[in-house]
Amino acid sequence: MLKVVVLVSGGGTNLQAILDAVDSGAITNTEIVGVISNNKNAYALQRAEEKGIPDVCVSPKAFASRAEFNQALLDTVDQFQADLLVLAGFLVVIPEMMIEAYRNRIINIHPSLIPAFCGTGYYGLKVHEAALEKGVKVVGATVHFVDEGTDTGAIILQKAVEVKQGDTPEILQRRVMEQAEWKILPQAIDLIANGKVKVVDGKVMIEEEA
């Protein structure tokens, strides 16, 4: 049974997609053992409470230095003894010591087809604003492992989404969530839970169904 901790900063729509997928059996062999947020007002914490999942807030504001916060975040994660950390809209830079401790065991969902519209400064609506400004016809989402760079880790899954005439950043964001993020994040967790994902020479190999 894969023990998963979800880290989230806001509303937790991706968290909800994961919880729904566990309930429906789309994610198998998996238990969500905890939800961590850097924001005490994150609606995601309420979603966890409603499901009876332990939730905790670790806020940078509560610590004198970033180093103290980083240590507290790692200590909190360690307490859950998780096999996999899922960043589902977690707007905090993951400390290097955590990346080292959980190498190839942290995944992130990013609302673009990496390497497009990713890296420092590209998050949330900013990604969709940039895509519309550029006039691209196809956007999407990517699930990738987390390494020391920003959105540079090995790619697990990607799904494309069409840009439509008259899209606003908000409309496009919603479509990318519904058609890509909420599908490939649960799918990636299920693949990992069933031992089908391996990282070889910095690239992800997915075992095909027999």
Side-chain angles (χ1 to χ4, degrees), residues 162-168 175:
E162 188 187 350
V163 179
K164 297 187 175 173
Q165 197 94 28
D167 272 348
T168 63
R175 190 180 313 119

Side-chain angles (χ1 to χ4, degrees), residues 19-188:
L19 296 173
D20 291 348
V22 170
D23 286 347
S24 72
I27 297 177
T28 57
N29 197 29
T30 298
E31 182 189 0
I32 311 302
V33 294
V35 172
I36 298 172
S37 182
N38 61 307
N39 170 14
K40 69 178 188 334
N41 298 316
Y43 184 61
L45 295 174
Q46 205 172 310
R47 292 181 195 269
E49 271 167 34
E50 285 167 7
K51 296 292 287 184
I53 296 167
D55 63 276
V56 59
C57 172
V58 186
S59 170
K61 294 173 186 162
F63 299 92
S65 70
R66 195 67 185 196
E68 283 179 40
F69 164 73
N70 287 347
Q71 188 61 56
L73 183 61
L74 180 56
D75 290 346
T76 304
V77 166
D78 284 345
Q79 284 168 10
F80 286 105
Q81 298 183 314
D83 305 305
L84 182 71
L85 310 182
V86 177
L87 311 184
F90 190 56
L91 302 179
V92 170
V93 175
I94 301 300
E96 283 193 14
M97 60 184 178
M98 188 186 292
I99 293 167
E100 195 57 56
Y102 288 87
R103 177 76 60 195
N104 293 335
R105 293 198 290 147
I106 310 175
I107 66 172
N108 179 52
I109 181 86
H110 182 75
S112 80
L113 295 173
I114 291 174
F117 309 113
C118 67
T120 306
Y122 284 107
Y123 60 88
L125 267 184
K126 293 180 190 298
V127 175
H128 306 290
E129 287 166 359
L132 289 174
E133 212 170 282
K134 192 76 178 165
V136 296
K137 307 303 180 202
V138 176
V139 290
T142 303
V143 181
H144 63 93
F145 283 110
V146 173
D147 64 8
E148 285 78 2
T150 305
D151 303 326
T152 55
I155 290 170
I156 305 167
L157 293 172
Q158 292 187 304
K159 193 170 194 307
V161 174
E162 188 187 350
V163 179
K164 297 187 175 173
Q165 197 94 28
D167 272 348
T168 63
E170 291 78 9
I171 289 170
L172 187 57
Q173 180 181 50
R174 184 75 193 180
R175 190 180 313 119
V176 169
M177 282 179 178
E178 289 175 351
Q179 294 183 12
E181 293 181 46
W182 299 347
K183 290 184 165 50
I184 61 173
L185 185 55
Q187 192 185 344

